[in-house]
Amino acid sequence: MTTQQSAHGTTHDGAQGAFLADVFPEVRRPDAGAVLISEWDAGSPGGQRAVVDGVARVWKETPLPEGFLSRVLFTGTDGRSVLNYGQWTGHAARQEFVRIAEDSGLRERIAAVLDGVVEVDGTGPGRFRLYRSLLAEEAPGAVGCVVRVGFRTSGHEAARRLVDGLMEMFGGRQGGEGAFASHFHLREDGRQVVNYSEWTDAEAHQRQVESALQHGGAVMGFIAGLEGVEPLGFKRFVGPRGLVRA
């Protein structure tokens, strides 16, 4: 695999195609038919660095099949969390890569990097699909922060009711200074919704929390009134490390 510079940053080229390194993924890319999301607790800022550096290094050394679109890790502003976001053309493509990974020893090398790291929900990467997105009328600059907002839901109906209601409430438009989008992902089993929300920086999101997302406000009141929906809070993440297919 060779490495070179492009107008968009470092690229890694090989028989499997070209990838941009250490950039935010394109969440709404039309060829992404499956998404994997998980979160790890690395315990400390040093643990975060060890995880993202180690996993990124392993993935950059591994031949990646055509169905692989992205694998990006982010460090939490809490100093211990790591967000794992991956895209595939479909679940069949991911399963084929899992088979290749087992044969090549990739699984063991990743496990070695994650030794002692706690998976937050303990169930492994959740299989999701992008359902709907709130989009800002104009991009406010460059994405610098991702906010993961989680909800536990009782099934597909409750999950869709949550997202559809928020879309209607905001008229399909993302609000807030410094906001780009809120991308609502539904877990394959209907038991979870993850809002992957993009912002210029953590401070911009905090201002939105303090102005429009307070308990007792319209948004939180709507969510509180939904049967089968339990808010799980949010975490902010920065510093993307990984590969995104160009």
Side-chain angles (χ1 to χ4, degrees), residues 37-70:
I37 304 174
S38 60
E39 186 182 321
W40 301 315
D41 186 344
S44 67
Q48 285 179 317
R49 289 191 297 272
V51 168
V52 297
D53 290 347
V55 173
R57 182 177 63 253
V58 170
W59 278 75
K60 289 175 183 178
E61 296 171 349
T62 303
L64 301 173
E66 185 176 350
F68 173 91
L69 301 177
S70 75

Side-chain angles (χ1 to χ4, degrees), residues 50-104:
V51 168
V52 297
D53 290 347
V55 173
R57 182 177 63 253
V58 170
W59 278 75
K60 289 175 183 178
E61 296 171 349
T62 303
L64 301 173
E66 185 176 350
F68 173 91
L69 301 177
S70 75
R71 172 73 180 270
V72 182
L73 303 180
F74 307 89
T75 54
T77 58
D78 61 0
R80 59 187 305 152
S81 301
V82 176
L83 178 65
N84 168 27
Y85 187 89
Q87 294 170 301
W88 304 81
T89 54
H91 289 305
R94 177 182 176 268
Q95 290 302 319
E96 174 63 15
F97 181 70
V98 169
R99 183 189 66 78
I100 296 172
E102 291 175 348
D103 293 342
S104 67

Side-chain angles (χ1 to χ4, degrees), residues 159-180:
R160 288 192 296 267
R161 188 164 58 243
L162 166 65
V163 178
D164 293 345
L166 290 173
M167 293 291 296
E168 182 177 357
M169 176 179 291
F170 289 101
R173 291 296 183 184
Q174 172 70 52
E177 182 183 355
F180 288 82

Side-chain angles (χ1 to χ4, degrees), residues 176-179 199-209 211 236:
E177 182 183 355
W199 296 78
T200 53
D201 50 40
E203 292 74 20
H205 179 255
Q206 179 61 29
R207 289 193 295 270
Q208 182 72 354
V209 170
S211 62
R236 303 181 181 110

